[in-house]
Amino acid sequence: MKAPKKKPRRIMFVCLGNHCRSPLAHGYFQHLLKKYHLENEIEVVSSGTSGWHLGELPDSRVCRVAEKYGFSLRHIRGSKITRGDLKDCELILVMDHSNLRDVLLLDDQGQYAEKIKLLRTFDPESSQDEVPDPYYSGIFEEVYMIVSRACDALFEHIRSKPVA
């Protein structure tokens, strides 16, 4: 008799519009999982706290940066975080304090706060805790460096112990 298929762990990255930062983290983290053959163990998703870019591809500038570093974001479409995501995800990583506040507001019973964290708290080279929004500033390359460092450290953290 076959053992039932184990449901993959689910991790979500969240920014304001699910248009730049969270799709970049989503795509980069999937890239890491594929590299280490763990894509069947961890499911990666992303969303925004607003509905501004529902169903849209990520910003073309962030797509170009991702492709420069060997992975694509073209399979990602904008979505908005829901209360159900709080239950379904083992870890929710937000890009800044505004996103953190908005996601915590969805948790009106205070059940899921321990699994909602700022992504940049995993960045070993920074005393900052926010990933800056590149949409207007155009600092996509800098944001890639921040996101990749934080995701690399997050990946090692997850591999060393179970997700909270």
Side-chain angles (χ1 to χ4, degrees):
M1 183 178 193
K2 256 184 157 177
K5 188 175 180 181
K6 187 177 162 186
K7 185 178 178 183
R9 298 157 68 185
R10 190 169 215 225
I11 296 173
M12 176 179 277
F13 294 97
V14 179
C15 68
L16 176 62
N18 194 211
H19 200 56
C20 298
R21 296 172 291 172
S22 59
L24 182 61
H26 176 166
Y28 183 80
F29 206 80
Q30 278 183 324
H31 178 67
L32 285 176
L33 293 172
K34 286 179 185 173
K35 179 177 176 182
Y36 293 98
H37 309 289
L38 296 172
E39 64 270 24
N40 293 326
E41 293 180 32
I42 300 174
E43 178 186 7
V44 182
V45 293
S46 61
S47 65
T49 57
S50 76
W52 293 344
H53 299 285
L54 291 177
E56 293 179 18
L57 283 166
D59 187 287
S60 61
R61 298 168 293 177
V62 79
C63 288
R64 282 193 297 275
V65 169
E67 288 164 4
K68 175 181 174 182
Y69 289 98
F71 60 100
S72 177
L73 305 178
R74 305 231 179 246
H75 62 288
I76 299 170
R77 297 293 180 276
S79 66
K80 185 177 178 181
I81 191 169
T82 67
R83 279 192 173 92
D85 292 323
L86 300 179
K87 179 182 176 198
D88 295 341
C89 295
E90 287 189 35
L91 189 56
I92 298 170
L93 297 140
V94 299
M95 301 298 148
D96 60 36
H97 287 282
S98 177
N99 307 145
L100 180 63
R101 182 196 68 238
D102 291 344
V103 173
L104 288 171
L105 284 171
L106 288 174
D107 184 18
D108 53 6
Q109 301 293 316
Q111 296 174 270
Y112 305 109
E114 74 285 345
K115 65 167 97 175
I116 303 165
K117 303 179 185 315
L118 288 156
L119 173 63
R120 197 153 185 197
T121 59
F122 289 94
D123 183 349
E125 294 182 25
S126 179
S127 60
Q128 303 294 317
D129 59 4
E130 293 190 318
V131 177
D133 190 342
Y135 189 79
Y136 293 109
S137 64
I139 58 168
F140 290 91
E141 190 81 24
E142 180 182 329
V143 167
Y144 168 78
M145 295 302 174
I146 292 166
V147 166
S148 63
R149 274 194 318 265
C151 282
D152 287 344
L154 170 66
F155 182 75
E156 290 307 318
H157 172 77
I158 288 171
R159 281 185 23 164
S160 69
K161 64 184 191 179
V163 175

Coordinates of all heavy atoms in Angstrom, one line a residue, residues 74-160:
R74 N 8.1 35.0 -15.0 CA 7.0 35.1 -16.0 C 5.8 34.1 -15.7 O 4.8 34.2 -16.3 CB 7.5 34.9 -17.4 CG 8.6 35.9 -17.7 CD 8.4 36.6 -19.0 NE 9.5 37.6 -19.2 CZ 9.4 38.9 -19.1 NH1 8.2 39.4 -18.9 NH2 10.4 39.7 -19.4
H75 N 6.0 33.2 -14.7 CA 4.9 32.3 -14.3 C 4.1 32.9 -13.2 O 3.1 32.3 -12.8 CB 5.5 31.0 -13.9 CG 6.4 31.0 -12.8 ND1 7.7 31.6 -12.8 CD2 6.3 30.6 -11.5 CE1 8.3 31.5 -11.6 NE2 7.4 31.0 -10.8
I76 N 4.6 34.0 -12.6 CA 3.9 34.6 -11.4 C 2.9 35.7 -11.9 O 3.2 36.5 -12.8 CB 5.0 35.2 -10.5 CG1 6.0 34.2 -10.0 CG2 4.3 36.0 -9.3 CD1 7.2 34.7 -9.3
R77 N 1.7 35.6 -11.3 CA 0.7 36.6 -11.5 C 0.3 37.3 -10.2 O 0.3 36.6 -9.2 CB -0.5 36.0 -12.1 CG -0.3 35.3 -13.5 CD 0.0 36.4 -14.6 NE 0.2 35.8 -15.9 CZ 1.4 35.3 -16.3 NH1 2.4 35.3 -15.6 NH2 1.5 34.8 -17.5
G78 N 0.0 38.6 -10.3 CA -0.3 39.3 -9.1 C -1.5 38.7 -8.4 O -2.5 38.4 -9.0
S79 N -1.5 38.6 -7.0 CA -2.6 38.2 -6.2 C -2.6 39.0 -4.9 O -1.6 39.7 -4.6 CB -2.5 36.7 -6.0 OG -1.4 36.4 -5.2
K80 N -3.6 38.9 -4.2 CA -3.8 39.6 -2.9 C -3.9 38.6 -1.8 O -4.6 37.6 -1.9 CB -5.0 40.5 -3.0 CG -5.2 41.4 -1.8 CD -6.4 42.3 -1.9 CE -6.6 43.1 -0.6 NZ -7.7 44.0 -0.7
I81 N -3.2 38.9 -0.7 CA -3.2 38.0 0.5 C -4.6 37.9 1.1 O -5.3 38.9 1.1 CB -2.2 38.4 1.5 CG1 -2.0 37.3 2.6 CG2 -2.4 39.7 2.1 CD1 -0.8 37.4 3.5
T82 N -5.0 36.8 1.6 CA -6.3 36.6 2.2 C -6.1 36.0 3.6 O -5.0 35.5 4.0 CB -7.2 35.6 1.4 OG1 -6.6 34.3 1.5 CG2 -7.3 36.0 0.0
R83 N -7.2 36.0 4.4 CA -7.1 35.4 5.8 C -6.8 33.9 5.6 O -6.1 33.4 6.5 CB -8.5 35.6 6.5 CG -8.6 36.9 7.1 CD -9.9 36.9 8.0 NE -9.9 38.2 8.7 CZ -10.5 39.3 8.3 NH1 -11.2 39.2 7.2 NH2 -10.5 40.3 9.0
G84 N -7.3 33.3 4.6 CA -7.0 31.9 4.4 C -5.5 31.6 4.2 O -5.0 30.5 4.7
D85 N -4.8 32.5 3.6 CA -3.4 32.3 3.4 C -2.7 32.3 4.8 O -1.6 31.6 4.9 CB -2.8 33.5 2.6 CG -3.2 33.5 1.2 OD1 -3.4 32.4 0.6 OD2 -3.4 34.6 0.6
L86 N -3.2 33.0 5.8 CA -2.5 33.0 7.1 C -2.5 31.6 7.7 O -1.6 31.1 8.3 CB -3.2 33.9 8.0 CG -3.2 35.4 7.7 CD1 -4.0 36.2 8.7 CD2 -1.9 36.0 7.4
K87 N -3.6 30.9 7.4 CA -3.7 29.5 7.9 C -2.9 28.5 7.1 O -2.2 27.6 7.6 CB -5.2 29.1 7.9 CG -5.5 27.7 8.4 CD -6.9 27.3 8.3 CE -7.1 25.9 8.7 NZ -8.4 25.4 8.3
D88 N -3.0 28.7 5.8 CA -2.4 27.7 4.9 C -0.9 27.8 4.8 O -0.2 26.8 4.4 CB -2.9 27.9 3.5 CG -4.4 27.6 3.4 OD1 -4.9 26.9 4.3 OD2 -5.1 28.0 2.4
C89 N -0.3 28.9 5.1 CA 1.2 29.1 5.0 C 1.9 28.8 6.3 O 1.4 29.2 7.3 CB 1.5 30.5 4.5 SG 0.9 30.8 2.8
E90 N 3.0 28.2 6.2 CA 3.8 28.0 7.4 C 4.6 29.2 7.8 O 5.0 29.4 8.9 CB 4.8 26.8 7.2 CG 4.1 25.5 7.2 CD 5.1 24.3 7.2 OE1 6.1 24.4 7.9 OE2 4.8 23.3 6.6
L91 N 4.9 30.0 6.8 CA 5.8 31.2 7.0 C 5.3 32.2 6.0 O 5.2 31.9 4.8 CB 7.2 30.8 6.8 CG 8.3 31.8 7.2 CD1 8.2 32.3 8.6 CD2 9.7 31.2 6.9
I92 N 5.2 33.5 6.5 CA 4.8 34.6 5.6 C 5.8 35.7 5.8 O 6.0 36.2 6.9 CB 3.4 35.1 6.0 CG1 2.3 34.0 5.7 CG2 3.0 36.4 5.1 CD1 1.0 34.3 6.3
L93 N 6.5 36.0 4.7 CA 7.6 36.9 4.8 C 7.3 38.2 4.1 O 7.0 38.2 2.9 CB 8.9 36.3 4.2 CG 9.3 35.1 5.0 CD1 9.7 34.0 4.1 CD2 10.3 35.4 6.0
V94 N 7.2 39.3 4.8 CA 6.8 40.6 4.3 C 8.1 41.5 4.1 O 9.1 41.3 4.6 CB 5.8 41.3 5.2 CG1 4.6 40.5 5.4 CG2 6.4 41.6 6.6
M95 N 7.9 42.5 3.2 CA 9.0 43.3 2.8 C 9.3 44.5 3.6 O 10.4 45.0 3.7 CB 8.8 43.7 1.3 CG 8.7 42.5 0.4 SD 10.2 41.5 0.3 CE 9.5 39.9 0.0
D96 N 8.2 45.1 4.3 CA 8.4 46.3 5.1 C 7.4 46.3 6.2 O 6.5 45.5 6.3 CB 8.4 47.5 4.2 CG 7.1 47.8 3.4 OD1 6.0 47.4 4.0 OD2 7.2 48.2 2.3
H97 N 7.5 47.4 7.0 CA 6.7 47.5 8.2 C 5.2 47.8 7.8 O 4.3 47.3 8.5 CB 7.2 48.6 9.1 CG 8.4 48.2 9.9 ND1 8.4 47.3 11.0 CD2 9.7 48.4 9.7 CE1 9.6 47.1 11.4 NE2 10.4 47.7 10.6
S98 N 5.0 48.4 6.7 CA 3.6 48.7 6.3 C 3.0 47.3 5.9 O 1.8 47.1 6.2 CB 3.6 49.6 5.1 OG 2.3 49.8 4.6
N99 N 3.7 46.5 5.2 CA 3.2 45.2 4.8 C 2.9 44.3 6.1 O 1.9 43.6 6.2 CB 4.1 44.4 3.9 CG 4.6 45.1 2.7 OD1 5.7 45.0 2.2 ND2 3.7 45.9 2.1
L100 N 3.9 44.4 7.0 CA 3.7 43.7 8.3 C 2.4 44.1 9.0 O 1.6 43.2 9.4 CB 4.9 43.9 9.1 CG 5.0 43.2 10.5 CD1 5.0 41.7 10.3 CD2 6.2 43.7 11.3
R101 N 2.2 45.4 9.1 CA 1.0 45.9 9.7 C -0.3 45.4 9.0 O -1.2 44.9 9.6 CB 1.0 47.4 9.8 CG -0.2 48.0 10.5 CD -0.4 49.5 10.2 NE -0.8 49.7 8.8 CZ -0.1 50.4 7.9 NH1 0.9 51.1 8.2 NH2 -0.6 50.5 6.6
D102 N -0.3 45.5 7.7 CA -1.5 45.1 6.9 C -1.7 43.6 7.0 O -2.9 43.2 7.1 CB -1.3 45.5 5.5 CG -1.3 47.0 5.3 OD1 -1.8 47.7 6.2 OD2 -0.9 47.4 4.2
V103 N -0.7 42.8 7.0 CA -0.9 41.3 7.2 C -1.3 41.0 8.6 O -2.3 40.2 8.8 CB 0.4 40.5 6.8 CG1 0.2 39.1 7.1 CG2 0.7 40.7 5.3
L104 N -0.7 41.6 9.6 CA -1.2 41.4 11.0 C -2.6 41.8 11.2 O -3.3 41.2 12.0 CB -0.3 42.1 12.0 CG 1.1 41.5 12.1 CD1 2.0 42.4 12.9 CD2 1.1 40.1 12.7
L105 N -3.1 42.8 10.5 CA -4.5 43.2 10.6 C -5.5 42.1 10.1 O -6.6 42.1 10.6 CB -4.8 44.5 9.8 CG -4.2 45.8 10.5 CD1 -4.4 47.0 9.5 CD2 -5.0 46.1 11.8
L106 N -5.0 41.3 9.2 CA -5.8 40.2 8.7 C -6.0 39.1 9.8 O -6.9 38.4 9.8 CB -5.2 39.5 7.5 CG -5.2 40.3 6.2 CD1 -4.5 39.5 5.1 CD2 -6.7 40.5 5.7
D107 N -5.0 39.1 10.7 CA -5.0 38.1 11.8 C -5.7 38.7 13.0 O -5.1 38.9 14.0 CB -3.5 37.8 12.1 CG -3.4 36.7 13.2 OD1 -4.4 36.0 13.4 OD2 -2.3 36.6 13.7
D108 N -7.0 38.9 12.8 CA -7.8 39.6 13.9 C -7.9 38.8 15.2 O -8.2 39.4 16.2 CB -9.2 40.0 13.4 CG -10.0 38.9 12.8 OD1 -9.5 37.7 12.8 OD2 -11.1 39.1 12.2
Q109 N -7.6 37.5 15.2 CA -7.6 36.7 16.4 C -6.2 36.6 17.0 O -6.1 36.0 18.1 CB -8.2 35.3 16.1 CG -9.6 35.3 15.6 CD -10.6 35.8 16.6 OE1 -10.6 35.4 17.7 NE2 -11.5 36.7 16.2
G110 N -5.2 37.0 16.3 CA -3.8 36.9 16.8 C -3.3 35.5 16.8 O -2.4 35.2 17.6
Q111 N -3.8 34.7 15.9 CA -3.4 33.3 15.9 C -2.1 33.0 15.1 O -1.5 32.0 15.4 CB -4.5 32.4 15.2 CG -5.8 32.4 15.9 CD -6.8 31.6 15.0 OE1 -7.5 32.3 14.2 NE2 -6.9 30.3 15.2
Y112 N -1.8 33.9 14.2 CA -0.7 33.6 13.3 C 0.5 34.5 13.3 O 1.4 34.4 12.5 CB -1.3 33.6 11.8 CG -2.5 32.6 11.7 CD1 -3.7 33.1 11.5 CD2 -2.3 31.3 11.8 CE1 -4.8 32.3 11.4 CE2 -3.4 30.4 11.7 CZ -4.6 30.9 11.5 OH -5.7 30.1 11.4
A113 N 0.5 35.4 14.3 CA 1.6 36.4 14.3 C 3.0 35.8 14.3 O 3.9 36.4 13.7 CB 1.4 37.3 15.5
E114 N 3.2 34.6 14.9 CA 4.5 34.0 15.0 C 5.1 33.6 13.7 O 6.3 33.4 13.6 CB 4.5 32.9 16.0 CG 3.8 31.6 15.6 CD 2.3 31.6 15.5 OE1 1.7 32.5 16.1 OE2 1.7 30.7 14.9
K115 N 4.2 33.4 12.7 CA 4.7 33.0 11.4 C 4.8 34.1 10.4 O 5.2 33.9 9.2 CB 3.8 31.8 10.8 CG 2.4 32.2 10.5 CD 1.7 31.1 9.7 CE 0.9 30.2 10.5 NZ 0.1 29.3 9.7
I116 N 4.6 35.3 10.8 CA 4.6 36.5 9.9 C 5.9 37.3 10.3 O 6.0 37.8 11.5 CB 3.4 37.4 10.1 CG1 2.1 36.6 9.8 CG2 3.5 38.6 9.2 CD1 0.8 37.2 10.2
K117 N 6.9 37.4 9.4 CA 8.2 38.0 9.7 C 8.6 38.9 8.5 O 8.2 38.7 7.4 CB 9.2 36.9 9.9 CG 8.9 35.9 10.9 CD 9.9 34.8 11.1 CE 9.6 33.7 12.0 NZ 9.0 34.1 13.3
L118 N 9.5 39.8 8.9 CA 10.1 40.7 7.9 C 11.2 39.8 7.2 O 12.1 39.3 7.9 CB 10.7 41.9 8.5 CG 9.7 43.0 9.0 CD1 10.3 43.8 10.1 CD2 9.3 43.8 7.8
L119 N 11.2 39.8 5.9 CA 12.2 39.0 5.1 C 13.6 39.4 5.5 O 14.5 38.6 5.7 CB 12.0 39.1 3.6 CG 13.1 38.5 2.8 CD1 13.1 37.0 3.0 CD2 12.8 38.8 1.3
R120 N 13.8 40.7 5.6 CA 15.2 41.2 5.7 C 15.8 40.9 7.1 O 17.0 41.0 7.3 CB 15.2 42.7 5.4 CG 16.7 43.2 5.2 CD 16.8 44.4 4.3 NE 18.1 44.7 4.0 CZ 18.5 45.8 3.6 NH1 17.7 46.8 3.3 NH2 19.8 46.0 3.3
T121 N 15.0 40.4 8.0 CA 15.6 40.0 9.3 C 16.5 38.8 9.1 O 17.3 38.5 9.9 CB 14.5 39.7 10.3 OG1 13.7 38.6 9.9 CG2 13.7 40.9 10.7
F122 N 16.4 38.2 7.9 CA 17.3 37.1 7.6 C 18.6 37.5 6.9 O 19.5 36.7 6.7 CB 16.6 36.0 6.7 CG 15.5 35.2 7.5 CD1 14.2 35.6 7.5 CD2 15.9 34.1 8.2 CE1 13.2 34.9 8.2 CE2 14.9 33.4 8.9 CZ 13.6 33.8 8.9
D123 N 18.6 38.8 6.5 CA 19.8 39.3 5.7 C 21.0 39.4 6.7 O 21.0 40.3 7.5 CB 19.4 40.7 5.1 CG 20.5 41.3 4.3 OD1 21.6 40.8 4.3 OD2 20.2 42.3 3.6
P124 N 22.0 38.6 6.5 CA 23.1 38.6 7.4 C 24.0 39.9 7.3 O 24.8 40.1 8.2 CB 23.9 37.4 7.0 CG 23.6 37.2 5.6 CD 22.2 37.6 5.4
E125 N 23.9 40.6 6.2 CA 24.7 41.8 6.0 C 24.1 43.1 6.3 O 24.6 44.2 5.9 CB 25.2 41.8 4.6 CG 26.1 40.6 4.3 CD 26.7 40.6 2.8 OE1 26.7 41.7 2.2 OE2 26.9 39.5 2.3
S126 N 23.0 43.1 7.0 CA 22.2 44.4 7.1 C 21.7 44.6 8.5 O 21.2 43.6 9.1 CB 21.1 44.5 6.1 OG 20.4 45.7 6.3
S127 N 21.7 45.8 8.9 CA 21.1 46.2 10.2 C 19.7 46.8 9.9 O 18.9 47.0 10.8 CB 21.9 47.3 10.9 OG 22.0 48.4 10.1
Q128 N 19.3 46.9 8.6 CA 18.0 47.4 8.2 C 17.1 46.2 8.2 O 17.5 45.0 8.0 CB 18.1 47.9 6.7 CG 19.1 49.1 6.6 CD 18.7 50.3 7.3 OE1 17.5 50.7 7.3 NE2 19.6 50.9 8.0
D129 N 15.8 46.4 8.4 CA 14.8 45.3 8.4 C 13.8 45.4 7.3 O 12.9 44.6 7.2 CB 14.2 45.2 9.8 CG 13.4 46.4 10.2 OD1 13.3 47.4 9.5 OD2 12.9 46.4 11.4
E130 N 13.9 46.4 6.4 CA 13.0 46.5 5.3 C 13.7 46.4 4.0 O 14.8 46.8 3.8 CB 12.3 47.9 5.3 CG 11.4 48.1 6.5 CD 10.5 49.4 6.4 OE1 11.1 50.4 6.0 OE2 9.4 49.3 6.7
V131 N 12.9 45.8 3.0 CA 13.4 45.7 1.6 C 12.8 46.9 1.0 O 11.6 47.1 0.9 CB 12.9 44.4 0.9 CG1 13.4 44.4 -0.5 CG2 13.4 43.2 1.7
P132 N 13.6 47.9 0.5 CA 13.1 49.1 -0.2 C 12.3 48.7 -1.4 O 12.6 47.8 -2.2 CB 14.3 49.9 -0.5 CG 15.5 49.0 -0.5 CD 15.1 47.8 0.4
D133 N 11.3 49.5 -1.7 CA 10.5 49.4 -2.9 C 11.1 50.0 -4.1 O 11.3 51.2 -4.1 CB 9.1 50.0 -2.6 CG 8.1 49.6 -3.7 OD1 8.5 49.2 -4.8 OD2 6.9 49.8 -3.4
P134 N 11.5 49.2 -5.1 CA 12.2 49.8 -6.2 C 11.2 50.4 -7.3 O 11.7 50.9 -8.3 CB 12.9 48.6 -6.8 CG 11.9 47.5 -6.6 CD 11.3 47.8 -5.2
Y135 N 9.9 50.3 -7.1 CA 9.0 50.7 -8.2 C 9.3 52.1 -8.7 O 9.3 52.3 -9.9 CB 7.6 50.6 -7.7 CG 6.5 50.8 -8.8 CD1 6.3 49.7 -9.6 CD2 5.9 52.0 -8.9 CE1 5.3 49.9 -10.7 CE2 4.9 52.1 -10.0 CZ 4.7 51.1 -10.8 OH 3.8 51.2 -11.8
Y136 N 9.4 53.1 -7.8 CA 9.7 54.5 -8.3 C 11.1 54.8 -8.3 O 11.6 55.6 -9.1 CB 8.9 55.5 -7.4 CG 7.4 55.3 -7.6 CD1 6.6 54.8 -6.6 CD2 6.8 55.7 -8.8 CE1 5.2 54.7 -6.7 CE2 5.4 55.6 -8.9 CZ 4.6 55.1 -7.9 OH 3.3 55.0 -8.1
S137 N 11.9 54.2 -7.4 CA 13.3 54.6 -7.3 C 14.2 53.9 -8.4 O 15.3 54.4 -8.7 CB 13.9 54.2 -6.0 OG 13.8 52.8 -5.8
G138 N 13.7 52.8 -8.9 CA 14.5 52.1 -10.0 C 15.6 51.3 -9.5 O 16.5 50.8 -10.3
I139 N 15.7 51.0 -8.2 CA 16.9 50.3 -7.6 C 16.7 48.8 -7.6 O 16.9 48.1 -6.6 CB 17.2 50.8 -6.2 CG1 16.0 50.6 -5.2 CG2 17.7 52.3 -6.2 CD1 16.4 50.8 -3.8
F140 N 16.3 48.3 -8.8 CA 16.0 46.8 -8.9 C 17.2 46.0 -8.6 O 17.1 44.9 -8.0 CB 15.4 46.6 -10.3 CG 14.0 47.1 -10.4 CD1 13.8 48.4 -10.9 CD2 12.9 46.4 -10.0 CE1 12.6 48.9 -11.0 CE2 11.6 46.9 -10.0 CZ 11.5 48.2 -10.6
E141 N 18.4 46.4 -9.1 CA 19.6 45.6 -8.9 C 19.9 45.5 -7.4 O 20.3 44.4 -6.8 CB 20.8 46.2 -9.7 CG 22.0 45.3 -9.7 CD 21.9 44.2 -10.7 OE1 21.2 44.3 -11.7 OE2 22.7 43.2 -10.5
E142 N 19.9 46.6 -6.7 CA 20.1 46.7 -5.2 C 19.1 45.8 -4.5 O 19.5 45.0 -3.6 CB 20.0 48.1 -4.7 CG 20.3 48.2 -3.3 CD 20.2 49.7 -2.8 OE1 20.5 50.6 -3.6 OE2 19.8 49.9 -1.6
V143 N 17.8 45.9 -4.9 CA 16.8 45.1 -4.3 C 17.1 43.6 -4.5 O 16.9 42.7 -3.6 CB 15.4 45.5 -4.7 CG1 14.3 44.5 -4.3 CG2 15.1 46.9 -4.1
Y144 N 17.5 43.2 -5.7 CA 17.9 41.8 -6.0 C 19.0 41.4 -5.0 O 18.9 40.3 -4.4 CB 18.4 41.6 -7.4 CG 19.0 40.3 -7.6 CD1 18.2 39.1 -7.7 CD2 20.4 40.1 -7.5 CE1 18.8 37.9 -7.8 CE2 21.0 38.9 -7.6 CZ 20.2 37.7 -7.7 OH 20.7 36.5 -7.7
M145 N 20.0 42.2 -4.8 CA 21.1 41.8 -3.9 C 20.5 41.6 -2.4 O 20.9 40.6 -1.8 CB 22.2 42.8 -3.9 CG 22.9 43.0 -5.2 SD 23.6 41.4 -5.7 CE 24.2 41.8 -7.3
I146 N 19.7 42.4 -2.0 CA 19.1 42.3 -0.7 C 18.2 41.0 -0.6 O 18.4 40.2 0.4 CB 18.2 43.6 -0.3 CG1 19.1 44.8 -0.2 CG2 17.4 43.3 0.9 CD1 18.4 46.1 -0.2
V147 N 17.3 40.9 -1.5 CA 16.4 39.7 -1.5 C 17.2 38.4 -1.6 O 16.9 37.5 -0.9 CB 15.4 39.9 -2.7 CG1 14.6 38.6 -2.9 CG2 14.4 41.0 -2.3
S148 N 18.2 38.4 -2.5 CA 18.9 37.1 -2.7 C 19.7 36.7 -1.4 O 19.7 35.6 -1.0 CB 19.9 37.2 -3.9 OG 20.9 38.1 -3.7
R149 N 20.3 37.7 -0.7 CA 21.0 37.5 0.5 C 20.1 37.0 1.6 O 20.4 36.0 2.3 CB 21.7 38.7 1.1 CG 23.1 39.0 0.5 CD 23.8 40.1 1.4 NE 23.0 41.2 1.8 CZ 22.9 42.3 1.1 NH1 23.6 42.5 0.0 NH2 22.2 43.3 1.6
A150 N 19.0 37.7 1.7 CA 18.0 37.3 2.7 C 17.4 35.9 2.4 O 17.2 35.1 3.4 CB 16.9 38.3 2.8
C151 N 17.1 35.6 1.2 CA 16.5 34.3 0.8 C 17.5 33.2 1.0 O 17.2 32.1 1.4 CB 16.0 34.3 -0.6 SG 14.4 35.2 -0.8
D152 N 18.8 33.5 0.7 CA 19.8 32.4 0.9 C 19.9 32.1 2.4 O 19.9 30.9 2.7 CB 21.2 32.9 0.4 CG 21.4 33.0 -1.1 OD1 20.6 32.4 -1.8 OD2 22.3 33.7 -1.5
A153 N 19.9 33.1 3.2 CA 19.9 32.8 4.7 C 18.6 32.1 5.2 O 18.7 31.2 6.0 CB 20.2 34.1 5.4
L154 N 17.5 32.6 4.6 CA 16.2 31.9 5.0 C 16.2 30.5 4.5 O 15.8 29.6 5.3 CB 15.1 32.7 4.2 CG 13.7 32.0 4.3 CD1 13.2 31.9 5.7 CD2 12.7 32.7 3.4
F155 N 16.8 30.2 3.4 CA 16.9 28.8 2.9 C 17.7 27.9 3.8 O 17.3 26.8 4.2 CB 17.5 28.8 1.5 CG 17.6 27.5 0.8 CD1 16.4 26.8 0.3 CD2 18.8 26.8 0.8 CE1 16.5 25.6 -0.3 CE2 18.9 25.5 0.2 CZ 17.7 24.9 -0.3
E156 N 18.8 28.4 4.3 CA 19.6 27.7 5.2 C 18.9 27.5 6.5 O 19.0 26.4 7.1 CB 21.0 28.4 5.4 CG 21.9 28.3 4.2 CD 22.1 26.9 3.7 OE1 22.3 25.9 4.5 OE2 22.0 26.6 2.4
H157 N 18.2 28.5 7.0 CA 17.4 28.4 8.2 C 16.4 27.3 8.1 O 16.2 26.5 9.0 CB 16.8 29.8 8.5 CG 15.8 29.8 9.6 ND1 16.2 29.8 10.9 CD2 14.5 29.8 9.6 CE1 15.2 29.8 11.7 NE2 14.1 29.8 10.9
I158 N 15.7 27.3 7.0 CA 14.6 26.3 6.8 C 15.2 24.9 6.7 O 14.7 24.0 7.2 CB 13.8 26.7 5.6 CG1 12.9 27.9 5.9 CG2 12.9 25.5 5.1 CD1 12.2 28.4 4.7
R159 N 16.3 24.8 6.0 CA 17.0 23.5 5.9 C 17.5 23.0 7.2 O 17.6 21.8 7.5 CB 18.1 23.5 4.9 CG 17.6 23.5 3.5 CD 18.7 23.4 2.4 NE 20.0 22.9 2.8 CZ 20.8 22.5 1.9 NH1 20.5 22.6 0.6 NH2 22.0 22.1 2.2
S160 N 17.9 23.9 8.1 CA 18.4 23.4 9.4 C 17.4 23.1 10.5 O 17.7 22.4 11.4 CB 19.4 24.5 9.9 OG 18.7 25.7 10.3

